[in-house]
């Protein structure tokens, strides 16, 4: 039941991200799927892997990039987050979430950029991404917004842990 609820949450977040957030300049840097993935990876890793496959598939459908780019980048980001959490963080406390969020957003963008440029080099994509100052500004904005939302999600779940426990833990 919780897997079905989580998949539905991922699909709704993906539709909201693609259909609403992407049309506003300030809100386009919020990546709801990545936020949910980072948060869920810390508390329930197998559920997060299921969610990133569905979420990545949804993003790939509406993307100009090579099909599978988002699935690959989200799965690799989930693996990186889990390894960092297991090796460098001992508990789930407040400071863990911003640090893991920062690592997650950076690794996601690094993997996605390298995949897109790799597909361009082997002539699968017709375009590559240019890392100019607009990209770096958007990356900094994405890190700040997503880390803030991860912290807010942490506070919401600690305040209402009994309600969320049956879905995420």
């Amino acid at each position: 039941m919780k897997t079905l609820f989580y998949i539905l949450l991922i699909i709704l977040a993906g539709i909201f991200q693609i259909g609403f957030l992407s049309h506003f300049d300030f809100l386009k840097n919020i990546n709801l799927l990545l936020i949910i993935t980072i948060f869920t990876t810390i508390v329930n890793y197998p559920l997060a892997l299921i969610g990133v496959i569905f979420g990545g598939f949804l993003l790939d459908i509406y993307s100009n990039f090579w099909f599978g780019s988002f699935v690959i980048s989200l799965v690799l980001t989930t693996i990186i987050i889990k390894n960092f959490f297991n090796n460098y963080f001992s508990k789930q406390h407040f400071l863990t979430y911003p640090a893991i969020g920062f690592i997650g957003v950076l690794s996601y963008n690094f993997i996605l950029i390298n995949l897109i440029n790799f597909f361009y080099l082997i002539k699968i994509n017709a375009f590559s991404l240019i890392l100019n100052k607009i990209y770096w500004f958007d990356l900094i904005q994405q890190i700040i917004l997503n880390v803030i939302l991860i912290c807010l999600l942490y506070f919401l779940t600690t305040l209402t842990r009994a309600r969320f426990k049956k879905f995420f833990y």
Side-chain angles (χ1 to χ4, degrees), residues 34 38 42 96-106 143 146-147 150:
L34 187 60
I38 290 169
I42 293 173
T96 302
Y97 288 89
I100 292 292
F102 178 77
I103 292 166
V105 172
L106 275 182
I143 290 170
N146 289 330
V147 167
I150 288 170

Side-chain angles (χ1 to χ4, degrees), residues 22-34:
S22 63
H23 298 289
F24 298 100
D25 283 336
F26 185 73
L27 299 177
K28 71 177 179 177
N29 290 318
I30 295 174
N31 193 339
L32 290 178
L33 293 176
L34 187 60

Side-chain angles (χ1 to χ4, degrees), residues 13 16 19 22 25 49 52 66 72 88 96 103 106 110 113 122-123 129 152 164:
F16 184 71
S22 63
D25 283 336
L49 283 176
V52 297
W66 183 72
I72 293 169
Y88 299 110
T96 302
I103 292 166
L106 275 182
F110 178 76
I113 290 294
I122 61 173
K123 305 295 184 203
L129 294 177
L152 288 175
F164 283 105

Side-chain angles (χ1 to χ4, degrees), residues 114-131:
N114 285 321
L115 273 174
I116 291 166
N117 287 332
F118 173 74
F119 293 140
Y120 174 75
L121 287 176
I122 61 173
K123 305 295 184 203
I124 292 177
N125 265 354
F127 60 92
S128 69
L129 294 177
I130 300 170
L131 303 178

